[in-house]
Amino acid sequence: MRNDEEIWRHVDERRAEYAALSDRVWGMPELCYNEHRSVAEHIAMLEAEGFATTKDVAGIPTAVMGEAGEGGPVIAILGEYDALPGLSQEAGVAEHRPIPGDGNGHGCGHNLLGSASLLAAAAVKDYLKANNLPGRVRYYGCPAEEGGAAKGFMVRAGAFDDVDIAISWHPAAFSGVNEPISLANTRIDFSFVGRAAHAASSPHLGRSALDAIELMNVGVNYMREHMPSDARIHYAYLDAGGIAPNVVQSRTKVRYLIRARNLEELNGLVKRVRKIADGAALMTETTVSTQVISAVSNLLGNSPLEQLMHDNFERLGPPPFSEADKAFAAEIQKTLREEDILSAYRRQGVAPETGKALCDAIVPLGAKGAGMNGSTDVGDVSWKVPTVQARGATYAIGTPGHSWQVVAQGKTDAAHTGMVHVAKVMAGTAVDAIRNPDIIAKAKADHRARTGGKPYQSPLPADAKPALGMSLAE
């Protein structure tokens, strides 16, 4: 791996301390909008690095921004640190072994995501100072990516109004520029209210809110045949009305997650789901009310920035994984199905290779994955400013996202190596953009062309607020 560029040396100098930051956050997995200890770790690192720090960004207690530099363009580097429920797992073992406790785990690798992004921002800060270059680098510590749409609220609040370009990444099995495709989505809570009654002696007096939810679910399931094939609808009961079968349930709540290729399709699906909910209420003589919890836009690509980032990947080469890294990754692969491994290759749009446990090449720019896309609130940043994302190889090929296997690999040497590697790519991309104003100009022109010159419009309702308590027991 070439490592003769000054910016990469600034990254290497900090490897140990940022690997330690990632490990500390791994050890304190906190859910959506409840990342108080995790953001405190990031704030402490920002202050130690000398960043001017702004807390409670957009009124969110677990959002932070650190800025360094003067004048010039503003480069945003985005980090995350929220975890997932039900994915507790011991580190460094290739078997399912949950840790006693709250059951949370970093099953999407956000402990690495935030640490690598802050590492990249710190390296750019020192590079600008050492070379007396105008420019400002900002680290955005973004909570609640897993369902809370914090970046959407931050964009809506104006936190990105003066940003020139934004850079981010995500842990993955492969290294390369992220294909800028994701699904727009929204989370809506549907609350039904009926009338309680004795289920045996006076059922005719009751009106079941649980019946209403079940009818709503049936209606949505029938709708699935008549919606775009790449749209997705999921639901989870938040309140099924209690545990007494001899009582007609009077209050219930269900959370729906609706996804589509873009906001136009999403809005159409939402209207249909709302009609089904109204119909379920009508059939059961109950009432229904709704609350939008979150909403995110689909990702918008940017060709000049994607080429710039790919050039950095090519100059740097693939992550320098050790033989020990590969051996442990092979043990993880033994816990997977062949389908998991083949699916990982298909999602990246590259040909499968037998016997490979860790990424040893850069995914070609423009490789087209085979569908099955998720969602991210980076989408809203990408509609506001030119944005580019990397995929950084940090775990075994075939590892499913949101799995115990991701958590098990989150503190390994391979994870740290991949984290440092992608931090170099992001830092190099930022420095190249600062040194070449034409790149930023081209990125902005590309962005205008994709948006039609129209200003960003938030998919969040005007009265929607961050659901700060959505991860707490109710």
Side-chain angles (χ1 to χ4, degrees):
M1 179 179 71
R2 283 186 56 186
N3 193 21
D4 55 356
E5 294 196 15
E6 180 187 348
I7 183 61
W8 296 343
R9 292 197 296 274
H10 285 296
V11 173
D12 277 330
E13 290 168 359
R14 293 172 162 83
R15 175 185 174 118
E17 57 193 294
Y18 281 88
L21 171 64
S22 175
D23 288 355
R24 289 196 300 275
V25 174
W26 183 98
M28 54 180 71
E30 297 169 304
L31 304 183
C32 184
Y33 286 123
N34 200 38
E35 313 92 335
H36 298 287
R37 291 183 297 162
S38 300
V39 74
E41 292 286 347
H42 283 250
I43 290 171
M45 189 67 83
L46 282 166
E47 292 176 345
E49 289 279 11
F51 283 86
T53 304
T54 302
K55 302 174 185 177
D56 301 333
V57 177
I60 301 171
T62 53
V64 66
M65 183 184 74
E67 180 178 304
E70 295 180 357
V74 177
I75 311 298
I77 302 182
L78 314 180
E80 299 164 13
Y81 30 72
D82 56 325
L84 290 159
L87 291 176
S88 172
Q89 167 65 30
E90 186 175 329
V93 296
E95 62 176 284
H96 191 200
R97 195 184 298 174
I99 300 172
D102 59 19
N104 301 336
H106 273 285
C108 212
H110 291 182
N111 59 302
L112 296 161
L113 200 168
S115 300
S117 294
L118 182 46
L119 170 55
V124 174
K125 169 184 67 73
D126 281 5
Y127 181 92
L128 293 175
K129 183 177 181 180
N131 291 274
N132 196 29
L133 285 174
R136 285 170 285 166
V137 59
R138 287 183 188 161
Y139 170 73
Y140 285 80
C142 306
E145 190 277 334
E146 300 290 357
K151 294 185 192 68
F153 288 102
M154 293 164 75
V155 172
R156 193 181 70 176
F160 292 86
D161 282 357
D162 61 345
V163 169
D164 288 285
I165 67 170
I167 300 169
S168 191
W169 79 288
H170 202 283
F174 295 91
S175 290
V177 177
N178 181 64
E179 185 180 6
I181 297 176
S182 71
L183 299 177
N185 80 36
T186 187
R187 281 172 168 79
I188 305 176
D189 288 354
F190 292 84
S191 298
F192 290 87
V193 177
R195 187 164 62 242
H198 193 295
S201 65
S202 55
H204 58 290
L205 300 179
R207 297 294 182 268
S208 174
L210 181 58
D211 286 352
I213 283 186
E214 293 188 310
L215 284 168
M216 177 184 177
N217 293 341
V218 169
V220 172
N221 285 338
Y222 275 106
M223 190 186 82
R224 294 178 196 276
E225 182 183 359
H226 308 288
M227 65 185 200
S229 60
D230 49 4
R232 299 285 184 269
I233 300 182
H234 331 278
Y235 61 86
Y237 284 90
L238 302 185
D239 180 359
I243 60 173
N246 60 334
V247 177
V248 175
Q249 295 89 347
S250 63
R251 291 180 178 272
T252 57
K253 182 185 291 188
V254 65
R255 177 166 294 167
Y256 262 77
L257 170 53
I258 307 167
R259 308 184 199 244
R261 284 178 296 186
N262 53 53
L263 291 177
E264 183 179 2
E265 284 190 4
L266 177 66
N267 291 335
L269 286 177
V270 168
K271 288 180 182 177
R272 295 172 69 187
V273 172
R274 287 183 180 275
K275 288 180 180 178
I276 291 171
D278 290 340
L282 182 64
M283 286 187 286
T284 54
E285 294 187 329
T286 60
T287 60
V288 61
S289 60
T290 63
Q291 179 184 4
V292 175
I293 300 300
S294 65
V296 302
S297 304
N298 53 295
L299 276 170
L300 194 67
N302 192 278
S303 297
L305 293 184
E306 288 155 16
Q307 183 64 59
L308 182 66
M309 178 174 277
H310 181 71
D311 291 345
N312 273 268
F313 268 115
E314 288 292 334
R315 291 203 310 273
L316 188 60
F321 294 123
S322 69
E323 291 304 313
D325 294 336
K326 296 173 185 177
F328 181 68
E331 290 301 308
I332 289 289
Q333 283 188 329
K334 292 178 182 178
T335 72
L336 308 176
R337 303 167 299 170
E338 183 179 358
E339 179 184 357
D340 295 322
I341 297 172
L342 292 176
S343 178
Y345 282 103
R346 285 197 296 269
R347 287 192 64 188
Q348 289 299 317
V350 295
E353 296 185 50
T354 303
K356 181 186 289 189
L358 284 171
C359 170
D360 62 1
I362 303 302
V363 175
L365 185 64
K368 298 296 181 184
M372 302 302 289
N373 299 300
S375 305
T376 174
D377 57 5
V378 176
D380 290 276
V381 179
S382 75
W383 280 87
K384 181 66 177 179
V385 300
T387 301
V388 65
Q389 281 188 286
R391 289 281 167 175
T394 58
Y395 51 69
I397 295 171
T399 303
H402 295 194
S403 68
W404 69 261
Q405 288 95 336
V406 174
V407 187
Q409 297 172 80
K411 292 177 67 177
T412 60
D413 287 342
H416 297 154
T417 295
M419 180 191 81
V420 172
H421 179 265
V422 77
K424 291 180 178 180
V425 170
M426 290 190 291
T429 301
V431 166
D432 287 349
I434 290 170
R435 282 195 168 278
N436 296 278
D438 285 349
I439 291 175
I440 295 178
K442 290 177 180 177
K444 290 183 175 182
D446 185 279
H447 188 264
R448 285 193 298 272
R450 292 174 188 265
T451 61
K454 297 178 181 178
Y456 164 78
Q457 290 188 340
S458 174
L460 293 161
D463 60 349
K465 297 179 180 179
L468 301 182
M470 67 182 294
S471 295
L472 303 177
E474 297 181 354

